[in-house]
Amino acid sequence: MSMTHESMDPVRVTLPDGSVREVPRGAPVRAVAEAIGARLARAALAARVDGRVVDLARPLESDATVEIITETSPGALELLRHSAAHVLATAVRRVRPEAGIGFGPSIDSGFYYDFQIDTPFTPDELERIEKEMDAVARADDPFERRVVSRDEARELFAGDPLKLERLEELGPDETITVYCNGPFLDLCRGPHLPSTGRLKHFKLLNTAGAYWRGDEKRQMLQRIYGTAFFSREDLEQHLHQLEEARKRDHRRLGRQLDLFMFHPYAPGAAFWTHKGTLVYHLLGEWMREVLMRNGYDAVKTPLLFNKGLWETSGHWGVYRENMFLVLDNETGEHDMSLKPMNCPSHHLMYAARKRSYRELPVRYSTQDVLHRNEVSGALSGLTRVRQFAQDDAHVYLAEAQIEDEVRRMVALIDYFYGTLGLEYTARFATRPEERLGDDAMWDRAEGGLRAALEATGLAYEMKPGDGAFYGPKIDFDVSDSIGRKWQLGTIQLDYAAPERFELAFTGDDNQEHRPVVIHRAFFGSFERFIAILIEHFAGAFPVWLAPVQVVAIPISAEQAESAHAFAAALREQGIRVDVDDRNETLNYRVREAEMQKVPYMAVIGGREAAGGTAAVRVRGAGRKQEVVARDELAARIVEQVRTRTLRVGFGDAEEESAS
């Protein structure tokens, strides 16, 4: 059969710089890279064709925009890690041929793959699997994509019930693709690297149990986690960061420093010890003190509410599964709920009396306890809990006041994060798929908040579709001392709640107007924020936040009385001090204070007892010590607390927290 003239026409390819090249119709995408140059052809990993990432072997059948993806391109790491997961499954099938294979996606920190096996993987097996992955990579087999029919796919995966289940979920019009490298075959949408040989720098990290499809009613699978990078240096840096994170894990340090505990009788709710409660209160009091100076009113509202409140707010319809419902004895129905958030109760307080434009902005702040029904499998130390408190605030204001109020909030974020040595970036989140209100309301809200954000001069990234269900928001991500990012603060603009709660104020025209509501938090939840601070400082809090600021250590029993008198004098000045006069060696007690991350160790021997001094050792400064008059030491600590400095120590014996 003869080819038509049209089918023989070349394909016009538009490159990112706007230039146009022609390649034969049906040529693979790699032909575009080859036409540009040999160096790009060698570096090419995949391509973005009309905005969609595809394999280099995909044929070009029509005119298109094409961007060649190399190691430095956005999305390249995700591509590498997806292929690494595929290589992992290949290796597992060699080590455990009976293993059922689930899914293997890339994730932010690497990749994982789920397997159905009778006995968990052992550490020795993990090493064998990693070596087998290396063999698969060295074989440099191409990743080949095949389009198959549903019946063909059923036949290919007849021995893999997990894959068959996924296959049956695909729609009747979906293209079914499989990828193979050598004899290994996987049901996968792709895309992948050109070949397994492009995977060079990877590491398997650990195994964990994972329910199939995340459903705790389904079978437990074994998940292997790994990571991969394009360079050995990046991999080693990441592994170093993981080791640092392990040392700083707030769950381990929480036990070591006696800050908090958990118990099965109260899943997802922390028990705060004396030391942990001190940290909690210090942060809360600092927040309250600063907010009072900035025009906020402190309020408290009930813990339990009738569902009518949540129906008015809209939470009953879109958030009920995350709420702890309580049976009402009178109705016999789950008509009550523990509050998962503060905003609706604050709206009630605002609406309790008439408001004038002269009062605005009205700023309510609270640190009330909240409850959210997180699934048990998602609970993790202090970072994912069911009971928590937020540094929550709601500001009721006129539309014309939005820009100034957002600027004030960003200034407070600068102050709080800066004091703690946390750097941050801002992201602007727009309307989600499930939301309250019409597009006109969202246009107004997004326009108003974005203008306010831009007026601050802050650089920001976009987060399309990630807004709250009632309004757009600005999220603040902080970077800790080892470079990890945490989403903490948020500023959310809400036009929906004033309508739903019929909030109003009397304007200067003597007419009623709707206010706008800004929801905002700086720390987020205290629980999660304290977890982040523990890891950021590796448990070595700055002096003002340390549960114990000084340990007085008498060298012998003869100096015990002097040490206790010294401690009493420090307490009189508000300094938190312990005395360690146990019958242990001096080195043991000093080492114990170091393990407890106490900023100052005041050693008192005969000379110090007689002279009213202390031989002060600074946390992390080794054996260096400075003999200081006791009142001078107290004055220095009081000043460090007043200024909330990150620095600990004096002169040469000085440490900066989170360094």
Side-chain angles (χ1 to χ4, degrees):
M1 185 171 69
S2 62
M3 302 288 286
T4 66
H5 176 73
E6 183 183 350
S7 67
M8 297 299 291
D9 287 344
V11 167
R12 288 171 57 82
V13 171
T14 303
L15 299 174
D17 64 1
S19 63
V20 176
R21 290 181 180 263
E22 292 187 345
V23 296
R25 191 173 299 273
V29 177
R30 68 166 53 88
V32 176
E34 291 165 351
I36 295 171
R39 175 185 280 183
L40 182 61
R42 287 192 299 272
L45 301 174
R48 194 170 277 105
V49 177
D50 289 335
R52 183 182 173 199
V53 180
V54 302
D55 306 294
L56 290 176
R58 290 286 285 277
L60 288 165
E61 301 291 359
S62 58
D63 295 351
T65 60
V66 175
E67 177 190 352
I68 301 300
I69 294 174
T70 66
E71 292 182 7
T72 59
S73 303
L77 206 52
E78 182 181 351
L79 181 75
L80 174 75
R81 290 167 173 174
H82 184 193
S83 298
H86 194 101
V87 170
L88 167 59
T90 308
V92 167
R93 270 287 170 85
R94 292 184 182 182
V95 174
R96 289 267 198 117
E98 80 286 0
I101 55 174
F103 294 129
S106 65
I107 54 177
D108 285 347
S109 58
F111 61 89
Y112 70 78
Y113 212 111
D114 289 340
F115 303 95
Q116 186 168 12
I117 52 177
D118 292 332
T119 56
F121 296 108
T122 65
D124 287 345
E125 273 186 311
L126 212 58
E127 286 186 25
R128 283 178 58 201
I129 291 165
E130 187 171 284
K131 287 178 181 175
E132 202 60 51
M133 285 180 69
D134 190 53
V136 173
R138 281 187 282 105
D140 199 22
D141 291 322
F143 282 106
E144 297 178 352
R145 177 181 183 269
R146 287 168 48 195
V147 178
V148 298
S149 69
R150 195 174 297 270
D151 286 341
E152 283 179 297
R154 287 184 182 123
E155 188 175 337
L156 288 170
F157 297 102
D160 278 306
L162 304 181
K163 293 293 183 185
L164 290 176
E165 180 179 326
R166 175 64 183 130
L167 180 64
E168 296 310 315
E169 294 172 349
L170 299 179
D173 299 326
E174 283 197 62
T175 301
I176 300 171
T177 58
V178 297
Y179 277 81
C180 61
N181 57 290
F184 181 73
L185 195 70
D186 201 0
L187 179 70
C188 181
R189 284 198 178 99
H192 282 292
L193 300 171
S195 68
T196 61
R198 297 296 187 101
L199 178 66
K200 299 181 186 298
H201 309 293
F202 60 89
K203 180 71 179 173
L204 295 186
L205 302 172
N206 61 284
T207 63
Y211 291 110
W212 172 233
R213 312 303 290 274
D215 184 348
E216 55 190 8
K217 296 184 176 67
R218 304 295 301 275
Q219 67 267 44
M220 176 69 76
L221 306 182
Q222 287 295 304
R223 176 172 294 177
I224 297 179
Y225 285 97
T227 193
F229 288 87
F230 285 112
S231 74
R232 171 63 59 186
E233 293 75 19
D234 286 347
L235 175 62
E236 288 177 351
Q237 182 180 347
H238 180 73
L239 295 178
H240 174 71
Q241 187 184 65
L242 289 178
E243 178 59 22
E244 277 295 305
R246 187 193 66 77
K247 291 177 188 173
R248 294 164 179 263
D249 189 318
H250 75 279
R251 293 164 296 188
R252 183 179 70 84
L253 286 172
R255 289 190 298 272
Q256 176 186 320
L257 303 179
D258 189 26
L259 299 174
F260 61 87
M261 59 169 272
F262 288 92
H263 195 280
Y265 285 166
F271 291 71
W272 294 93
T273 64
H274 171 65
K275 290 181 179 178
T277 301
L278 282 173
V279 174
Y280 204 113
H281 285 173
L282 285 163
L283 288 168
E285 288 159 9
W286 177 40
M287 175 66 71
R288 277 191 288 266
E289 172 193 318
V290 173
L291 293 184
M292 290 286 283
R293 291 202 307 265
N294 281 271
Y296 284 79
D297 294 339
V299 298
K300 287 186 72 64
T301 58
L303 182 65
L304 186 67
F305 285 94
N306 182 273
K307 71 175 182 180
L309 176 67
W310 311 113
E311 287 172 336
T312 301
S313 69
H315 289 92
W316 198 255
V318 299
Y319 201 77
R320 182 170 41 182
E321 64 183 27
N322 302 108
M323 297 162 69
F324 280 102
L325 305 184
V326 178
L327 193 70
D328 188 315
N329 289 334
E330 293 183 10
T331 66
E333 301 288 337
H334 286 94
D335 289 345
M336 307 290 285
S337 168
L338 297 176
K339 65 178 177 184
M341 59 233 352
N342 293 300
C343 31
S345 61
H346 288 184
H347 303 334
L348 297 182
M349 293 188 76
Y350 177 89
R353 64 177 178 80
K354 281 190 171 294
R355 304 285 178 172
S356 163
Y357 73 94
R358 292 186 180 88
E359 296 178 65
L360 302 186
V362 171
R363 304 181 182 97
Y364 291 149
S365 67
T366 190
Q367 296 175 13
D368 281 357
V369 171
L370 304 174
H371 290 84
R372 294 182 187 172
N373 193 9
E374 301 281 359
V375 296
S376 58
L379 300 177
S380 178
L382 295 176
T383 58
R384 198 72 177 265
V385 290
R386 288 174 171 168
Q387 176 184 294
F388 59 96
Q390 289 182 323
D391 69 302
D392 209 358
H394 297 93
V395 179
Y396 302 83
L397 68 168
E399 199 167 24
Q401 296 172 313
I402 292 172
E403 185 176 310
D404 183 60
E405 193 65 24
V406 170
R407 187 184 288 111
R408 290 167 60 100
M409 289 175 176
V410 170
L412 285 171
I413 278 178
D414 268 337
Y415 167 69
F416 283 117
Y417 294 172
T419 300
L420 293 164
L422 296 167
E423 296 181 355
Y424 71 88
T425 55
R427 295 192 290 172
F428 185 74
T430 58
R431 68 196 75 184
E433 213 168 290
E434 264 193 67
R435 58 184 182 265
L436 299 177
D438 58 20
D439 284 342
M441 185 207 80
W442 277 89
D443 290 343
R444 194 172 164 200
E446 287 175 357
L449 187 59
R450 191 166 184 172
L453 174 58
E454 290 177 349
T456 68
L458 268 183
Y460 64 92
E461 298 174 13
M462 293 296 297
K463 287 174 68 178
D466 205 43
F469 71 87
Y470 48 75
K473 60 179 180 169
I474 307 166
D475 285 334
F476 296 87
D477 295 346
V478 303
S479 297
D480 67 14
S481 57
I482 59 172
R484 295 172 301 179
K485 287 189 177 294
W486 306 85
Q487 197 275 305
L488 282 184
T490 189
I491 297 173
Q492 304 174 357
L493 190 59
D494 186 353
Y495 280 81
E499 292 291 337
R500 298 179 77 92
F501 282 84
E502 299 182 349
L503 305 182
F505 68 91
T506 303
D508 58 3
D509 57 359
N510 214 31
Q511 300 297 309
E512 280 206 342
H513 300 270
R514 287 270 183 257
V516 182
V517 178
I518 296 179
H519 309 243
R520 76 105 192 97
F522 298 150
F523 294 169
S525 81
F526 279 86
E527 283 72 9
R528 185 167 174 269
F529 190 65
I530 290 171
I532 291 166
L533 288 184
I534 291 170
E535 299 193 6
H536 174 61
F537 292 120
F541 292 112
V543 177
W544 71 272
L545 200 51
V548 178
Q549 296 164 320
V550 182
V551 172
I553 307 174
I555 289 179
S556 70
E558 292 176 6
Q559 292 89 43
E561 184 179 345
S562 178
H564 281 282
F566 174 42
L570 292 179
R571 290 189 191 105
E572 284 292 319
Q573 298 192 59
I575 295 169
R576 298 182 292 279
V577 57
D578 283 348
V579 177
D580 189 350
D581 57 0
R582 292 175 297 168
N583 188 25
E584 301 284 356
T585 66
L586 174 64
N587 284 342
Y588 178 90
R589 288 176 287 159
V590 168
R591 189 166 59 250
E592 183 77 6
E594 281 278 7
M595 289 292 292
Q596 288 298 303
K597 316 281 188 178
V598 178
Y600 297 111
M601 289 139 273
V603 178
I604 298 172
R607 187 181 306 168
E608 288 79 20
T613 61
V616 179
R617 299 190 185 195
V618 176
R619 177 182 64 200
R623 289 182 167 274
K624 288 181 182 177
Q625 63 182 37
E626 179 183 356
V627 177
V628 181
R630 297 181 186 185
D631 56 353
E632 182 185 348
L633 174 62
R636 289 182 181 184
I637 293 172
V638 167
E639 178 62 11
Q640 288 175 346
V641 170
R642 186 190 69 79
T643 59
R644 292 190 171 87
T645 179
L646 292 174
R647 295 198 172 275
V648 178
F650 330 110
D652 293 336
E654 189 174 68
E655 166 213 84
E656 182 166 355
S657 296
S659 60

